[in-house]
Amino acid sequence: MSHSNEKLAVRIRCNAERALLTELFLTPKPGLVDRRNSGAHNDMTLQTFIRSINAISPWFLRFFEWGASNATIAPGECLALIRPIGFECETAMFAATGGINTHKGAIFALGLLSVAAGRAEALRIDITRENLCFMVADFCHGIVGRELGNAGRTRTAGERVYRRYGLSGARGEAESGFATVRRLALPIYDDLLQQGDCENHALMRVLLELLAFNADTNLVSRGGVDGLTFVRDYASNLLLQNPKPASDLLDKLCLFDDALIARNLSPGGSADLLAVTWFLAQLPASKIWTLECVDRHFCKKMNRIVNT
Ligand SMILES: CC(C)(COP(=O)(O)OP(=O)(O)OC[C@H]1O[C@@H](n2cnc3c(N)ncnc32)[C@H](O[C@H]2O[C@H](COP(=O)(O)OP(=O)(O)OP(=O)(O)O)[C@@H](O)[C@H]2O)[C@@H]1O)[C@@H](O)C(=O)NCCC(=O)NCCS
Ligand SMILES: Nc1ncnc2[nH]cnc12
């Protein structure tokens, strides 16, 4: 790899690692491991996650390098070729955590984005949020139907949840090009930072938006649809209250955390999407005017006209 490629590879690896650490240390997070407690988990702690992050971070360099070295392979053929690297990375995670699943979904999401970054660099494509997400969507085209749609034995929580409820989890999110992050999380995060919010407050608000919207298979796996509905309704009500100042939001998030712990509910998938949000937020947005951008731009203009 050229020197500039190597620099970018290291930046992507560092951003993936920082995304996972930023998510982990954000506190309080309802039902999740953070600096306040271990959420709805009796098998993992903050230290477990730190060991996991240290073990898997070097692999994001491997993902990038694979993407850069195999940029001429058709996108639809990439997933089968990078999956073994992902499973090796999972093995490193399990070795570091004593067999506990801390970042399986995060490895999948950030691994795919790291491959996309390496591929974009090699093909001289701008490394933007949209370009990486659309590239991941190309890698994962048809993954839900192929891997979840067949009538085979269900081995994992995600497969069981799909079979019973039709929720596609991490695979569906990747196949959509992280649509939940592109259309919901990132615009809110950008707006809050632009309004002067600190990163932590903006991330807490984004996590609430994700909890209110994301079909998190972890919640369904642990608490059924009722568990997912409880979390969505609680998060939606908290957003409607729009607690101010920030100290009031923190107090209410602690109550939310206690409520999920009492119900053994942990939104691990939403935590992953928060990390993906932070990772993508470090990249520039494409200059393309998608319909969503146009709609948001003119809504803002209209609000300014109406409010002046
Ligand atoms: C593609 C796979 C990763 C799919 O694996 P699986 O068949 O298990 O499918 P899912 O359950 O749908 O997804 C696995 C994890 O993805 C996260 N997730 C869940 N819902 C969503 C969503 N709507 N959007 C995005 N991501 C989602 C979630 O991961 C996080 O939670 C886990 C920790 O929480 P915990 O409750 O402890 O989880 P468990 O231990 O499973 O439950 P308990 O026993 O404790 O109750 C942790 O993984 C977080 O990351 C889902 O768990 C897989 O098939 C695969 O291909 N993997 C290897 C290949 C790879 O990684 N390749 C990289 C480049 S291709
Ligand atoms: N902080 C966290 N706690 C529990 N599960 C998670 N999955 C990803 N991040 C997590």
Side-chain angles (χ1 to χ4, degrees):
M1 273 203 297
S2 69
H3 180 61
S4 65
N5 270 20
E6 278 179 13
K7 275 180 64 177
L8 178 60
V10 170
R11 183 158 72 88
I12 291 294
R13 176 239 159 125
C14 289
N15 279 358
E17 183 174 24
R18 280 187 60 200
L20 295 173
L21 288 169
T22 300
E23 178 277 305
L24 175 62
F25 282 92
L26 185 72
T27 299
K29 293 191 302 289
L32 296 162
V33 174
D34 55 29
R35 287 179 286 116
R36 180 177 187 246
N37 56 38
S38 292
H41 297 274
N42 54 21
D43 61 351
M44 49 191 182
T45 64
L46 195 79
Q47 286 308 321
T48 317
F49 272 83
I50 291 170
R51 283 199 304 275
S52 177
I53 293 168
N54 287 337
I56 68 177
S57 294
W59 291 85
F60 296 117
L61 212 56
R62 286 277 305 277
F63 286 123
F64 179 97
E65 288 164 352
W66 191 94
S69 311
N70 298 278
T72 55
I73 293 179
E77 296 169 19
C78 289
L79 188 60
L81 298 170
I82 53 183
R83 215 115 192 218
I85 304 175
F87 285 123
E88 282 180 61
C89 182
E90 279 187 13
T91 302
M93 171 192 76
F94 286 122
T97 63
I100 293 164
N101 167 24
T102 44
H103 287 114
K104 183 176 170 185
I107 292 168
F108 181 64
L110 293 174
L112 287 165
L113 286 166
S114 300
V115 170
R119 184 183 180 92
E121 173 68 3
L123 297 175
R124 298 277 184 273
I125 295 170
D126 288 344
I127 299 202
T128 66
R129 303 166 176 188
E130 292 78 7
N131 286 347
L132 295 199
C133 288
F134 295 152
M135 212 175 265
V136 168
D138 288 344
F139 295 155
C140 296
H141 179 70
I143 186 174
V144 171
R146 238 184 359 261
E147 297 187 8
L148 295 174
N150 58 41
R153 190 169 52 86
T154 54
R155 293 172 301 106
T156 66
E159 290 163 358
R160 283 191 294 276
V161 165
Y162 182 81
R163 183 68 51 76
R164 187 159 181 197
Y165 304 107
L167 300 176
S168 56
R171 293 179 180 86
E173 193 61 35
E175 186 168 8
S176 76
F178 301 110
T180 304
V181 175
R182 279 186 292 113
R183 295 175 181 163
L184 176 74
L186 272 173
I188 291 169
Y189 185 64
D190 288 342
D191 284 352
L192 288 170
L193 291 185
Q194 206 168 27
Q195 292 165 25
D197 266 19
C198 71
E199 182 178 279
N200 268 5
H201 185 262
L203 287 170
M204 281 177 191
R205 172 65 189 276
V206 165
L207 179 59
L208 277 176
E209 298 281 357
L210 289 169
L211 294 178
F213 179 79
N214 179 38
D216 194 319
T217 61
N218 290 55
L219 292 174
V220 178
S221 168
R222 284 173 168 238
V225 173
D226 290 349
L228 177 63
T229 303
F230 176 83
V231 171
R232 281 175 156 176
D233 290 350
Y234 199 118
S236 300
N237 291 331
L238 197 41
L239 286 165
L240 283 173
Q241 294 169 39
N242 193 20
K244 292 210 190 311
S247 58
D248 190 18
L249 173 62
L250 290 179
D251 292 342
K252 291 184 186 304
L253 283 171
C254 288
L255 293 173
F256 194 0
D257 189 23
D258 297 341
L260 295 202
I261 291 169
R263 291 166 176 79
N264 192 37
L265 292 173
S266 174
S270 302
D272 285 351
L273 293 188
L274 189 70
V276 169
T277 300
W278 190 93
F279 177 88
L280 290 172
Q282 312 316 305
L283 303 176
S286 291
K287 300 228 178 352
I288 52 171
W289 275 91
T290 61
L291 281 178
E292 295 134 2
C293 295
V294 170
D295 181 46
R296 198 163 52 247
H297 175 78
F298 285 104
C299 285
K300 275 185 192 172
K301 286 273 190 201
M302 287 306 289
N303 285 340
R304 281 198 201 110
I305 293 166
V306 166
N307 294 330
T308 48

